Amino acid sequence: RKEVEQDPGPFNVPEGATVAFNCTYSNSASQSFFWYRQDCRKEPKLLMSVYSSGNEDGRFTAQLNRASQYISLLIRDSKLSDSATYLCVVNMYIPPGTYKYIFGTGTRLKVLA
Amino acid sequence: NAGVTQTPKFQVLKTGQSMTLQCAQDMNHNSMYWYRQDPGMGLRLIYYSASEGTTDKGEVPNGYNVSRLNKREFSLRLESAAPSQTSVYFCASRGTPQASNNSPLHFGNGTRLTVT
């Protein structure tokens, strides 16, 4: 079983739609959670961190359920520019003083005009 | 404000050739990482360096070596390239000395390597 699992998609949605991505992680020792965005042939870039109480950044809302080991990302009012691959990432502490980051394989989103 | 800089951007090698991928960061980060990304596999950790002077194996270290030259620089070496090492390689860093566990990774632009 993969440590971080995502639906690969693709999700094809019309402009203005709301779309939700889900992610599950297997290691309960995971400490922090992130969503990254990756455009074709580019490096991953941080979209947002995910906090236990849930958090919002404009049209993007992230939720974390530690009991179910589940993370979600909701995009409202989709724009053409949101087309990208969205990567779910968790990190875990590695003694004596750093963190290991584990990536899901990503969910592809295509927003259609 | 360069962030994480990787060189080269593209490279073609023949099987058996060697090369070094360079990575430098100017954010005073303690930890640095090398990942490879292949279609359908996601990003997989090759090696990491928790701090200057230390390096450790990640998920897929075979065929690679690393050097943490100083706090800024972390290089990845392929001693004898194989076609299975054709991939996109990303260097990343995180964590100033004051960083929390919620500190994200910052990535370089990547190196596209083809081994024929």
Side-chain angles (χ1 to χ4, degrees):
Chain A
R1 181 186 172 188
K2 290 181 182 174
E3 290 190 77
V4 178
E5 296 208 56
Q6 296 181 250
D7 182 340
F11 284 56
N12 295 323
V13 302
E15 266 189 296
T18 296
V19 61
F21 303 141
N22 301 321
C23 169
T24 57
Y25 60 96
S26 60
N27 195 323
S28 60
S30 299
Q31 294 206 342
S32 296
F33 309 89
F34 309 88
W35 284 102
Y36 276 72
R37 171 193 169 126
Q38 187 173 26
D39 293 292
C40 188
R41 301 179 73 78
K42 299 282 191 181
E43 74 275 21
K45 292 186 178 176
L46 178 69
L47 179 66
M48 58 197 301
S49 300
V50 186
Y51 301 114
S52 296
S53 54
N55 49 299
E56 189 174 304
D57 183 1
R59 297 181 293 108
F60 299 85
T61 300
Q63 298 278 353
L64 168 64
N65 184 325
R66 283 190 184 267
S68 302
Q69 297 181 193
Y70 171 94
I71 307 159
S72 65
L73 177 68
L74 184 77
I75 305 176
R76 291 183 299 278
D77 188 22
S78 299
K79 312 289 185 194
L80 294 175
S81 58
D82 293 333
S83 297
T85 296
Y86 291 83
L87 305 174
C88 176
V89 185
V90 305
N91 81 359
M92 283 181 284
Y93 181 67
I94 308 173
T98 193
Y99 292 82
K100 180 171 72 167
Y101 291 73
I102 302 162
F103 288 75
T105 53
T107 299
R108 280 179 53 209
L109 172 66
K110 188 166 184 180
V111 181
L112 307 171
Chain B
N1 205 15
V4 181
T5 303
Q6 283 183 242
T7 56
K9 286 189 172 12
F10 302 93
Q11 185 71 50
V12 179
L13 293 178
K14 294 187 190 303
T15 297
Q17 288 184 317
S18 62
M19 78 162 295
T20 299
L21 282 64
Q22 307 286 353
C23 176
Q25 52 88 13
D26 62 3
M27 296 176 283
N28 195 34
H29 283 171
N30 286 333
S31 301
M32 298 184 74
Y33 306 77
W34 277 105
Y35 288 88
R36 61 178 287 173
Q37 186 174 34
D38 303 290
M41 303 289 288
L43 282 111
R44 293 182 292 169
L45 182 63
I46 304 171
Y47 270 93
Y48 66 98
S49 170
S51 60
E52 186 179 353
T54 70
T55 62
D56 285 283
K57 295 178 180 178
E59 184 185 353
V60 287
N62 290 346
Y64 305 96
N65 285 301
V66 290
S67 296
R68 183 75 183 266
L69 303 168
N70 47 54
K71 188 168 187 178
R72 290 187 64 246
E73 298 173 285
F74 188 38
S75 62
L76 178 72
R77 183 159 178 84
L78 286 70
E79 290 291 352
S80 178
S84 60
Q85 293 178 305
T86 294
S87 189
V88 181
Y89 292 85
F90 289 104
C91 178
S93 70
R94 60 95 58 194
T96 63
Q98 296 77 29
S100 69
N101 65 328
N102 204 36
S103 179
L105 283 180
H106 298 259
F107 284 88
N109 291 342
T111 297
R112 280 163 182 75
L113 175 66
T114 301
V115 183
T116 60

Short mmCIF file of all heavy atoms in Angstrom, two decimals, chain B residues 31-94:
data_model
loop_
_atom_site.label_atom_id
_atom_site.label_comp_id
_atom_site.label_asym_id
_atom_site.label_seq_id
_atom_site.Cartn_x
_atom_site.Cartn_y
_atom_site.Cartn_z
N SER B 31 18.25 21.50 5.91
CA SER B 31 18.04 20.20 5.26
C SER B 31 17.90 20.35 3.75
O SER B 31 17.25 21.28 3.27
CB SER B 31 16.79 19.53 5.81
OG SER B 31 16.90 19.34 7.20
N MET B 32 18.51 19.41 3.04
CA MET B 32 18.42 19.40 1.58
C MET B 32 18.11 17.98 1.11
O MET B 32 18.46 17.00 1.79
CB MET B 32 19.71 19.93 0.95
CG MET B 32 19.99 21.38 1.33
SD MET B 32 21.44 22.08 0.53
CE MET B 32 20.83 22.31 -1.15
N TYR B 33 17.46 17.88 -0.04
CA TYR B 33 16.93 16.61 -0.53
C TYR B 33 17.14 16.50 -2.04
O TYR B 33 17.09 17.50 -2.75
CB TYR B 33 15.42 16.53 -0.26
CG TYR B 33 15.00 16.75 1.17
CD1 TYR B 33 14.95 18.03 1.71
CD2 TYR B 33 14.60 15.68 1.97
CE1 TYR B 33 14.55 18.24 3.01
CE2 TYR B 33 14.19 15.88 3.28
CZ TYR B 33 14.17 17.17 3.79
OH TYR B 33 13.76 17.38 5.10
N TRP B 34 17.29 15.26 -2.49
CA TRP B 34 17.24 14.96 -3.91
C TRP B 34 16.10 13.97 -4.16
O TRP B 34 16.02 12.92 -3.51
CB TRP B 34 18.55 14.34 -4.41
CG TRP B 34 19.59 15.35 -4.74
CD1 TRP B 34 20.70 15.67 -4.03
CD2 TRP B 34 19.63 16.17 -5.91
NE1 TRP B 34 21.41 16.65 -4.66
CE2 TRP B 34 20.77 16.98 -5.82
CE3 TRP B 34 18.79 16.33 -7.02
CZ2 TRP B 34 21.13 17.90 -6.80
CZ3 TRP B 34 19.14 17.25 -7.98
CH2 TRP B 34 20.29 18.02 -7.88
N TYR B 35 15.22 14.33 -5.12
CA TYR B 35 14.12 13.48 -5.55
C TYR B 35 14.28 13.18 -7.04
O TYR B 35 14.83 13.97 -7.79
CB TYR B 35 12.78 14.18 -5.36
CG TYR B 35 12.33 14.33 -3.94
CD1 TYR B 35 12.70 15.43 -3.18
CD2 TYR B 35 11.48 13.38 -3.36
CE1 TYR B 35 12.26 15.58 -1.86
CE2 TYR B 35 11.04 13.51 -2.05
CZ TYR B 35 11.43 14.62 -1.31
OH TYR B 35 11.00 14.75 -0.01
N ARG B 36 13.69 12.06 -7.45
CA ARG B 36 13.47 11.82 -8.87
C ARG B 36 11.97 11.66 -9.10
O ARG B 36 11.25 11.20 -8.21
CB ARG B 36 14.25 10.61 -9.38
CG ARG B 36 13.91 9.29 -8.75
CD ARG B 36 14.70 8.14 -9.38
NE ARG B 36 14.22 7.81 -10.72
CZ ARG B 36 14.80 6.95 -11.54
NH1 ARG B 36 15.91 6.32 -11.18
NH2 ARG B 36 14.30 6.70 -12.73
N GLN B 37 11.54 12.08 -10.28
CA GLN B 37 10.12 12.00 -10.62
C GLN B 37 9.96 11.28 -11.94
O GLN B 37 10.50 11.71 -12.96
CB GLN B 37 9.47 13.39 -10.69
CG GLN B 37 7.96 13.33 -10.89
CD GLN B 37 7.32 14.70 -10.82
OE1 GLN B 37 7.90 15.70 -11.22
NE2 GLN B 37 6.10 14.76 -10.28
N ASP B 38 9.21 10.20 -11.90
CA ASP B 38 8.93 9.40 -13.09
C ASP B 38 7.43 9.31 -13.28
O ASP B 38 6.67 9.34 -12.30
CB ASP B 38 9.52 7.99 -12.91
CG ASP B 38 11.00 8.03 -12.63
OD1 ASP B 38 11.74 8.37 -13.58
OD2 ASP B 38 11.43 7.76 -11.50
N PRO B 39 6.97 9.17 -14.53
CA PRO B 39 5.51 9.11 -14.78
C PRO B 39 4.86 8.00 -13.98
O PRO B 39 5.34 6.86 -13.95
CB PRO B 39 5.46 8.82 -16.29
CG PRO B 39 6.74 9.36 -16.83
CD PRO B 39 7.77 9.12 -15.76
N GLY B 40 3.77 8.34 -13.30
CA GLY B 40 3.02 7.35 -12.54
C GLY B 40 3.63 6.96 -11.21
O GLY B 40 3.03 6.20 -10.46
N MET B 41 4.84 7.48 -10.92
CA MET B 41 5.53 7.07 -9.68
C MET B 41 5.56 8.19 -8.64
O MET B 41 5.90 7.94 -7.50
CB MET B 41 6.97 6.66 -9.99
CG MET B 41 7.09 5.56 -10.99
SD MET B 41 6.56 3.98 -10.32
CE MET B 41 7.88 3.62 -9.20
N GLY B 42 5.28 9.39 -9.03
CA GLY B 42 5.40 10.48 -8.09
C GLY B 42 6.85 10.81 -7.79
O GLY B 42 7.77 10.29 -8.44
N LEU B 43 7.08 11.64 -6.82
CA LEU B 43 8.44 12.00 -6.42
C LEU B 43 8.95 10.98 -5.41
O LEU B 43 8.28 10.69 -4.41
CB LEU B 43 8.47 13.39 -5.79
CG LEU B 43 8.40 14.52 -6.78
CD1 LEU B 43 7.09 15.24 -6.68
CD2 LEU B 43 9.54 15.50 -6.55
N ARG B 44 10.13 10.46 -5.66
CA ARG B 44 10.74 9.49 -4.77
C ARG B 44 12.07 10.04 -4.27
O ARG B 44 12.87 10.54 -5.04
CB ARG B 44 10.94 8.15 -5.49
CG ARG B 44 9.63 7.45 -5.84
CD ARG B 44 9.88 6.11 -6.51
NE ARG B 44 10.47 6.27 -7.83
CZ ARG B 44 10.99 5.28 -8.54
NH1 ARG B 44 11.00 4.04 -8.04
NH2 ARG B 44 11.50 5.52 -9.74
N LEU B 45 12.30 9.87 -2.97
CA LEU B 45 13.48 10.43 -2.32
C LEU B 45 14.70 9.56 -2.59
O LEU B 45 14.69 8.35 -2.35
CB LEU B 45 13.23 10.53 -0.82
CG LEU B 45 14.34 11.14 0.03
CD1 LEU B 45 14.58 12.60 -0.37
CD2 LEU B 45 13.98 11.05 1.50
N ILE B 46 15.77 10.19 -3.09
CA ILE B 46 17.00 9.47 -3.39
C ILE B 46 17.94 9.52 -2.18
O ILE B 46 18.33 8.50 -1.64
CB ILE B 46 17.70 10.08 -4.62
CG1 ILE B 46 16.75 10.11 -5.82
CG2 ILE B 46 18.94 9.25 -4.98
CD1 ILE B 46 17.31 10.90 -7.01
N TYR B 47 18.29 10.72 -1.78
CA TYR B 47 19.14 10.98 -0.62
C TYR B 47 18.67 12.27 0.02
O TYR B 47 18.08 13.12 -0.64
CB TYR B 47 20.61 11.16 -1.04
CG TYR B 47 21.44 9.91 -1.08
CD1 TYR B 47 21.58 9.19 -2.26
CD2 TYR B 47 22.12 9.45 0.05
CE1 TYR B 47 22.36 8.05 -2.33
CE2 TYR B 47 22.91 8.30 0.00
CZ TYR B 47 23.02 7.61 -1.20
OH TYR B 47 23.80 6.48 -1.26
N TYR B 48 19.02 12.42 1.29
CA TYR B 48 18.79 13.68 1.95
C TYR B 48 19.95 14.00 2.88
O TYR B 48 20.75 13.13 3.23
CB TYR B 48 17.45 13.68 2.71
CG TYR B 48 17.39 12.74 3.89
CD1 TYR B 48 17.62 13.19 5.18
CD2 TYR B 48 17.06 11.40 3.70
CE1 TYR B 48 17.55 12.33 6.26
CE2 TYR B 48 16.99 10.52 4.78
CZ TYR B 48 17.24 10.99 6.05
OH TYR B 48 17.16 10.13 7.13
N SER B 49 20.00 15.27 3.26
CA SER B 49 21.03 15.73 4.19
C SER B 49 20.34 16.58 5.24
O SER B 49 19.80 17.64 4.94
CB SER B 49 22.07 16.57 3.43
OG SER B 49 22.94 17.22 4.35
N ALA B 50 20.33 16.08 6.46
CA ALA B 50 19.64 16.79 7.53
C ALA B 50 20.34 18.10 7.87
O ALA B 50 19.70 19.08 8.26
CB ALA B 50 19.53 15.91 8.77
N SER B 51 21.65 18.10 7.76
CA SER B 51 22.42 19.30 8.07
C SER B 51 23.80 19.15 7.43
O SER B 51 24.15 18.07 6.94
CB SER B 51 22.54 19.49 9.58
OG SER B 51 23.20 18.38 10.15
N GLU B 52 24.55 20.24 7.43
CA GLU B 52 25.89 20.20 6.87
C GLU B 52 26.69 19.08 7.52
O GLU B 52 26.69 18.93 8.74
CB GLU B 52 26.56 21.55 7.14
CG GLU B 52 27.90 21.71 6.50
CD GLU B 52 28.50 23.08 6.78
OE1 GLU B 52 27.79 23.93 7.35
OE2 GLU B 52 29.67 23.28 6.43
N GLY B 53 27.32 18.27 6.69
CA GLY B 53 28.15 17.19 7.20
C GLY B 53 27.47 15.86 7.34
O GLY B 53 28.11 14.86 7.67
N THR B 54 26.16 15.80 7.09
CA THR B 54 25.45 14.52 7.20
C THR B 54 24.69 14.23 5.91
O THR B 54 24.15 15.15 5.28
CB THR B 54 24.45 14.52 8.36
OG1 THR B 54 23.37 15.39 8.05
CG2 THR B 54 25.08 14.96 9.65
N THR B 55 24.65 12.96 5.52
CA THR B 55 23.81 12.52 4.40
C THR B 55 23.23 11.16 4.74
O THR B 55 23.86 10.37 5.48
CB THR B 55 24.61 12.41 3.08
OG1 THR B 55 25.64 11.44 3.23
CG2 THR B 55 25.22 13.75 2.69
N ASP B 56 22.04 10.88 4.21
CA ASP B 56 21.38 9.60 4.47
C ASP B 56 20.63 9.15 3.23
O ASP B 56 20.18 9.97 2.43
CB ASP B 56 20.40 9.72 5.64
CG ASP B 56 21.11 9.77 6.96
OD1 ASP B 56 21.56 8.70 7.43
OD2 ASP B 56 21.23 10.88 7.51
N LYS B 57 20.46 7.82 3.14
CA LYS B 57 19.75 7.25 1.99
C LYS B 57 18.25 7.47 2.14
O LYS B 57 17.70 7.42 3.23
CB LYS B 57 20.04 5.75 1.90
CG LYS B 57 21.47 5.42 1.60
CD LYS B 57 21.70 3.92 1.56
CE LYS B 57 23.16 3.60 1.26
NZ LYS B 57 23.42 2.15 1.25
N GLY B 58 17.63 7.65 1.00
CA GLY B 58 16.18 7.71 0.94
C GLY B 58 15.62 6.41 0.43
O GLY B 58 16.15 5.33 0.68
N GLU B 59 14.57 6.53 -0.36
CA GLU B 59 13.83 5.36 -0.85
C GLU B 59 14.54 4.64 -1.99
O GLU B 59 14.47 3.42 -2.10
CB GLU B 59 12.45 5.87 -1.31
CG GLU B 59 11.47 4.84 -1.78
CD GLU B 59 10.20 5.51 -2.32
OE1 GLU B 59 10.06 6.74 -2.19
OE2 GLU B 59 9.37 4.79 -2.89
N VAL B 60 15.23 5.39 -2.87
CA VAL B 60 15.82 4.81 -4.08
C VAL B 60 17.27 5.27 -4.27
O VAL B 60 17.60 5.93 -5.25
CB VAL B 60 14.98 5.15 -5.33
CG1 VAL B 60 13.69 4.36 -5.34
CG2 VAL B 60 14.70 6.66 -5.43
N PRO B 61 18.20 4.91 -3.38
CA PRO B 61 19.56 5.44 -3.43
C PRO B 61 20.52 4.71 -4.39
O PRO B 61 21.59 5.24 -4.71
CB PRO B 61 20.05 5.26 -2.00
CG PRO B 61 19.34 4.01 -1.53
CD PRO B 61 17.97 4.08 -2.19
N ASN B 62 20.13 3.52 -4.84
CA ASN B 62 21.09 2.70 -5.61
C ASN B 62 21.48 3.39 -6.91
O ASN B 62 20.62 3.84 -7.68
CB ASN B 62 20.49 1.34 -5.90
CG ASN B 62 20.37 0.49 -4.65
OD1 ASN B 62 20.97 0.81 -3.63
ND2 ASN B 62 19.58 -0.56 -4.71
N GLY B 63 22.78 3.44 -7.16
CA GLY B 63 23.31 4.05 -8.37
C GLY B 63 23.65 5.52 -8.22
O GLY B 63 24.09 6.15 -9.19
N TYR B 64 23.47 6.06 -7.03
CA TYR B 64 23.72 7.48 -6.78
C TYR B 64 24.64 7.66 -5.57
O TYR B 64 24.66 6.84 -4.66
CB TYR B 64 22.40 8.21 -6.47
CG TYR B 64 21.34 8.06 -7.52
CD1 TYR B 64 20.34 7.09 -7.39
CD2 TYR B 64 21.31 8.90 -8.63
CE1 TYR B 64 19.36 6.95 -8.34
CE2 TYR B 64 20.31 8.76 -9.58
CZ TYR B 64 19.34 7.78 -9.44
OH TYR B 64 18.36 7.65 -10.38
N ASN B 65 25.36 8.78 -5.57
CA ASN B 65 26.09 9.24 -4.39
C ASN B 65 25.83 10.73 -4.23
O ASN B 65 25.49 11.40 -5.20
CB ASN B 65 27.59 9.00 -4.54
CG ASN B 65 27.94 7.53 -4.37
OD1 ASN B 65 27.68 6.94 -3.35
ND2 ASN B 65 28.54 6.94 -5.40
N VAL B 66 26.00 11.21 -3.01
CA VAL B 66 25.76 12.63 -2.76
C VAL B 66 26.92 13.20 -1.94
O VAL B 66 27.66 12.48 -1.27
CB VAL B 66 24.43 12.87 -2.00
CG1 VAL B 66 23.23 12.59 -2.88
CG2 VAL B 66 24.39 12.07 -0.71
N SER B 67 27.01 14.54 -2.00
CA SER B 67 27.97 15.27 -1.18
C SER B 67 27.31 16.53 -0.68
O SER B 67 26.75 17.29 -1.48
CB SER B 67 29.21 15.66 -1.99
OG SER B 67 29.92 14.52 -2.42
N ARG B 68 27.34 16.73 0.63
CA ARG B 68 26.88 18.01 1.19
C ARG B 68 28.14 18.83 1.39
O ARG B 68 28.83 18.74 2.41
CB ARG B 68 26.14 17.80 2.51
CG ARG B 68 25.58 19.09 3.10
CD ARG B 68 24.38 19.57 2.37
NE ARG B 68 23.86 20.83 2.86
CZ ARG B 68 22.90 20.94 3.77
NH1 ARG B 68 22.33 19.86 4.29
NH2 ARG B 68 22.50 22.14 4.14
N LEU B 69 28.45 19.63 0.40
CA LEU B 69 29.74 20.33 0.34
C LEU B 69 29.85 21.39 1.44
O LEU B 69 30.93 21.63 1.98
CB LEU B 69 29.89 20.98 -1.04
CG LEU B 69 29.78 19.97 -2.21
CD1 LEU B 69 29.66 20.70 -3.53
CD2 LEU B 69 30.99 19.05 -2.21
N ASN B 70 28.77 22.05 1.72
CA ASN B 70 28.68 23.07 2.77
C ASN B 70 27.19 23.28 3.03
O ASN B 70 26.36 22.52 2.49
CB ASN B 70 29.37 24.37 2.33
CG ASN B 70 28.96 24.78 0.93
OD1 ASN B 70 27.77 24.91 0.64
ND2 ASN B 70 29.94 24.94 0.04
N LYS B 71 26.84 24.27 3.79
CA LYS B 71 25.42 24.43 4.11
C LYS B 71 24.60 24.73 2.86
O LYS B 71 23.44 24.34 2.75
CB LYS B 71 25.23 25.52 5.16
CG LYS B 71 23.79 25.60 5.66
CD LYS B 71 23.66 26.47 6.89
CE LYS B 71 22.24 26.36 7.43
NZ LYS B 71 22.06 27.16 8.66
N ARG B 72 25.18 25.41 1.89
CA ARG B 72 24.43 25.84 0.71
C ARG B 72 24.29 24.77 -0.35
O ARG B 72 23.32 24.76 -1.09
CB ARG B 72 25.15 27.04 0.07
CG ARG B 72 25.10 28.33 0.85
CD ARG B 72 25.70 29.46 0.01
NE ARG B 72 24.92 29.71 -1.19
CZ ARG B 72 25.33 29.49 -2.44
NH1 ARG B 72 26.54 28.98 -2.68
NH2 ARG B 72 24.56 29.78 -3.47
N GLU B 73 25.27 23.88 -0.49
CA GLU B 73 25.36 23.04 -1.68
C GLU B 73 25.23 21.55 -1.38
O GLU B 73 25.83 21.02 -0.43
CB GLU B 73 26.71 23.29 -2.37
CG GLU B 73 26.88 24.72 -2.84
CD GLU B 73 28.29 24.95 -3.36
OE1 GLU B 73 29.23 25.06 -2.55
OE2 GLU B 73 28.43 25.01 -4.60
N PHE B 74 24.47 20.87 -2.26
CA PHE B 74 24.21 19.44 -2.10
C PHE B 74 24.20 18.85 -3.50
O PHE B 74 23.29 19.13 -4.28
CB PHE B 74 22.86 19.25 -1.40
CG PHE B 74 22.53 17.84 -1.00
CD1 PHE B 74 23.48 16.97 -0.52
CD2 PHE B 74 21.22 17.39 -1.08
CE1 PHE B 74 23.16 15.68 -0.13
CE2 PHE B 74 20.87 16.10 -0.70
CZ PHE B 74 21.84 15.25 -0.22
N SER B 75 25.21 18.05 -3.83
CA SER B 75 25.33 17.54 -5.20
C SER B 75 24.96 16.07 -5.25
O SER B 75 25.10 15.32 -4.28
CB SER B 75 26.74 17.76 -5.72
OG SER B 75 27.67 17.06 -4.93
N LEU B 76 24.50 15.66 -6.43
CA LEU B 76 24.09 14.27 -6.69
C LEU B 76 24.95 13.73 -7.82
O LEU B 76 25.00 14.35 -8.89
CB LEU B 76 22.62 14.20 -7.07
CG LEU B 76 22.05 12.83 -7.40
CD1 LEU B 76 21.91 11.97 -6.15
CD2 LEU B 76 20.69 12.97 -8.10
N ARG B 77 25.59 12.61 -7.62
CA ARG B 77 26.48 12.05 -8.64
C ARG B 77 25.98 10.69 -9.12
O ARG B 77 25.61 9.83 -8.30
CB ARG B 77 27.91 11.92 -8.11
CG ARG B 77 28.90 11.40 -9.16
CD ARG B 77 30.32 11.73 -8.83
NE ARG B 77 31.22 11.18 -9.83
CZ ARG B 77 31.52 11.79 -10.99
NH1 ARG B 77 30.98 12.97 -11.29
NH2 ARG B 77 32.36 11.23 -11.84
N LEU B 78 26.00 10.55 -10.43
CA LEU B 78 25.75 9.26 -11.07
C LEU B 78 27.10 8.77 -11.55
O LEU B 78 27.71 9.38 -12.43
CB LEU B 78 24.80 9.40 -12.25
CG LEU B 78 23.33 9.65 -11.97
CD1 LEU B 78 23.06 11.03 -11.42
CD2 LEU B 78 22.50 9.42 -13.24
N GLU B 79 27.60 7.70 -10.99
CA GLU B 79 28.95 7.21 -11.33
C GLU B 79 28.96 6.48 -12.67
O GLU B 79 29.91 6.58 -13.43
CB GLU B 79 29.47 6.28 -10.24
CG GLU B 79 29.80 6.97 -8.93
CD GLU B 79 31.03 7.88 -9.03
OE1 GLU B 79 31.72 7.87 -10.07
OE2 GLU B 79 31.29 8.62 -8.05
N SER B 80 27.91 5.71 -12.94
CA SER B 80 27.84 4.94 -14.18
C SER B 80 26.37 4.90 -14.60
O SER B 80 25.61 4.04 -14.15
CB SER B 80 28.39 3.53 -13.97
OG SER B 80 28.28 2.76 -15.15
N ALA B 81 26.00 5.88 -15.41
CA ALA B 81 24.58 6.07 -15.72
C ALA B 81 23.98 4.86 -16.44
O ALA B 81 24.63 4.20 -17.26
CB ALA B 81 24.40 7.32 -16.57
N ALA B 82 22.71 4.59 -16.11
CA ALA B 82 21.95 3.50 -16.72
C ALA B 82 20.65 4.07 -17.28
O ALA B 82 20.14 5.07 -16.75
CB ALA B 82 21.65 2.43 -15.69
N PRO B 83 20.08 3.44 -18.31
CA PRO B 83 18.80 3.94 -18.87
C PRO B 83 17.71 4.07 -17.81
O PRO B 83 16.85 4.95 -17.92
CB PRO B 83 18.46 2.89 -19.93
CG PRO B 83 19.79 2.37 -20.38
CD PRO B 83 20.64 2.36 -19.14
N SER B 84 17.74 3.23 -16.76
CA SER B 84 16.73 3.31 -15.69
C SER B 84 16.84 4.60 -14.87
O SER B 84 15.92 4.92 -14.10
CB SER B 84 16.87 2.12 -14.74
OG SER B 84 18.15 2.12 -14.13
N GLN B 85 17.91 5.33 -15.05
CA GLN B 85 18.08 6.61 -14.35
C GLN B 85 17.58 7.79 -15.18
O GLN B 85 17.70 8.95 -14.75
CB GLN B 85 19.55 6.80 -13.96
CG GLN B 85 20.00 5.79 -12.90
CD GLN B 85 21.45 5.93 -12.53
OE1 GLN B 85 22.34 5.90 -13.39
NE2 GLN B 85 21.72 6.07 -11.24
N THR B 86 17.03 7.51 -16.35
CA THR B 86 16.34 8.57 -17.10
C THR B 86 15.16 9.05 -16.27
O THR B 86 14.30 8.25 -15.88
CB THR B 86 15.85 8.01 -18.45
OG1 THR B 86 16.99 7.69 -19.25
CG2 THR B 86 14.97 9.02 -19.17
N SER B 87 15.14 10.33 -15.98
CA SER B 87 14.14 10.86 -15.07
C SER B 87 14.27 12.37 -15.00
O SER B 87 15.15 12.97 -15.62
CB SER B 87 14.36 10.27 -13.66
OG SER B 87 13.30 10.59 -12.79
N VAL B 88 13.37 12.97 -14.23
CA VAL B 88 13.52 14.38 -13.87
C VAL B 88 13.96 14.42 -12.41
O VAL B 88 13.33 13.79 -11.55
CB VAL B 88 12.20 15.15 -14.05
CG1 VAL B 88 12.41 16.62 -13.68
CG2 VAL B 88 11.70 15.03 -15.48
N TYR B 89 15.03 15.14 -12.14
CA TYR B 89 15.59 15.21 -10.80
C TYR B 89 15.34 16.58 -10.20
O TYR B 89 15.58 17.61 -10.82
CB TYR B 89 17.11 14.95 -10.86
CG TYR B 89 17.42 13.53 -11.23
CD1 TYR B 89 17.48 13.14 -12.57
CD2 TYR B 89 17.62 12.55 -10.26
CE1 TYR B 89 17.74 11.82 -12.92
CE2 TYR B 89 17.88 11.24 -10.60
CZ TYR B 89 17.94 10.88 -11.93
OH TYR B 89 18.19 9.57 -12.27
N PHE B 90 14.83 16.57 -8.97
CA PHE B 90 14.56 17.81 -8.25
C PHE B 90 15.36 17.84 -6.96
O PHE B 90 15.38 16.88 -6.21
CB PHE B 90 13.08 17.94 -7.90
CG PHE B 90 12.19 18.21 -9.07
CD1 PHE B 90 11.40 17.21 -9.61
CD2 PHE B 90 12.12 19.48 -9.64
CE1 PHE B 90 10.57 17.45 -10.69
CE2 PHE B 90 11.30 19.74 -10.72
CZ PHE B 90 10.52 18.71 -11.25
N CYS B 91 15.97 18.99 -6.73
CA CYS B 91 16.59 19.27 -5.45
C CYS B 91 15.62 20.12 -4.64
O CYS B 91 14.86 20.93 -5.21
CB CYS B 91 17.89 20.03 -5.68
SG CYS B 91 18.76 20.53 -4.18
N ALA B 92 15.60 19.94 -3.33
CA ALA B 92 14.71 20.72 -2.47
C ALA B 92 15.42 21.01 -1.15
O ALA B 92 16.37 20.33 -0.77
CB ALA B 92 13.41 19.97 -2.21
N SER B 93 14.93 22.01 -0.46
CA SER B 93 15.49 22.34 0.86
C SER B 93 14.37 22.80 1.78
O SER B 93 13.28 23.17 1.33
CB SER B 93 16.58 23.42 0.74
OG SER B 93 16.00 24.66 0.39
N ARG B 94 14.65 22.74 3.07
CA ARG B 94 13.70 23.23 4.07
C ARG B 94 14.44 23.57 5.35
O ARG B 94 15.52 23.07 5.60
CB ARG B 94 12.60 22.22 4.37
CG ARG B 94 13.06 20.89 4.90
CD ARG B 94 13.05 20.75 6.40
NE ARG B 94 11.77 20.97 7.03
CZ ARG B 94 11.62 21.14 8.34
NH1 ARG B 94 12.66 21.14 9.14
NH2 ARG B 94 10.41 21.33 8.85
#
